[in-house]
Amino acid sequence: VLQGLEDEVVPPNQAEMIVNALRAKRVPVAYVTFPGEQHGLGLLMVEALLVPEGAQCISLGTQTPIEDIRRAAVAHDVHVVALSFSSAFPVRQAGEGLAALRRQLPGKIAVWAGGEMTRRVRKALPGVLLVPDIAATTAVLKAWRTTTPKSVGP
């Protein structure tokens, strides 16, 4: 769970309530904060949607460098790297980082980007699926599963 201590939209105690509810259901959760991040609840929300659908979510922590993401994705043999961006994150920085990450990851690993910032992306990011609406997350997972060979998908 990522939660900004300076978040003016969702106070940290609301994230703690969600964490406690997930723990009660025995869903493994790592609770961390972003220094200066204004809204980090998106990752928790996505995990809460994907875990019941059978996805194994692995938290790579916060402010993770692209090379560390690449190494972890390969080491854990992940099928999808999903990133969440708050509305405060700069679009250009996100686009450049996503393009760099896509170039560095093996082609069989999908890259998904979600969060409010993705609503502001105006140019295509080849090899990156933008999911600006969190409500679409499970539909995106189901669609990915139908189009991904069984040897790759979960």
Side-chain angles (χ1 to χ4, degrees):
V1 176
L2 302 177
Q3 177 61 44
L5 291 177
E6 299 173 23
D7 191 336
E8 296 174 7
V9 178
V10 180
N13 70 329
Q14 282 187 325
E16 290 168 7
M17 290 186 311
I18 293 170
V19 168
N20 291 334
L22 288 171
R23 284 185 179 144
K25 294 186 179 211
R26 297 184 183 172
V27 175
V29 176
Y31 187 64
V32 296
T33 60
F34 260 6
E37 169 60 51
Q38 295 300 307
H39 187 69
L41 196 53
L43 289 177
L44 171 62
M45 293 164 52
V46 168
E47 183 174 6
L49 290 169
L50 295 180
V51 167
E53 296 295 323
Q56 178 189 2
C57 295
I58 301 168
S59 173
L60 299 182
T62 62
Q63 300 183 25
T64 308
I66 291 172
E67 176 58 20
D68 291 355
I69 295 171
R70 184 199 66 76
R71 281 192 302 233
V74 171
H76 290 285
D77 195 27
V78 301
H79 303 150
V80 176
V81 171
L83 301 103
S84 180
F85 297 94
S86 71
S87 61
F89 202 87
V91 174
R92 183 176 181 175
Q93 185 179 347
E96 290 170 358
L98 287 165
L101 178 62
R102 176 67 282 166
R103 284 190 305 271
Q104 293 181 30
L105 286 174
K108 69 178 185 174
I109 299 176
V111 176
W112 299 353
E116 192 62 31
M117 180 281 307
T118 61
R119 294 178 188 275
R120 300 191 329 262
V121 174
R122 297 292 174 241
K123 62 180 185 177
L125 299 172
V128 176
L129 176 63
L130 298 178
V131 188
D133 182 3
I134 194 163
T137 303
T138 55
V140 168
L141 176 64
K142 289 175 184 174
W144 176 81
R145 283 180 169 156
T146 62
T147 60
T148 303
K150 295 292 183 204
S151 62
V152 175

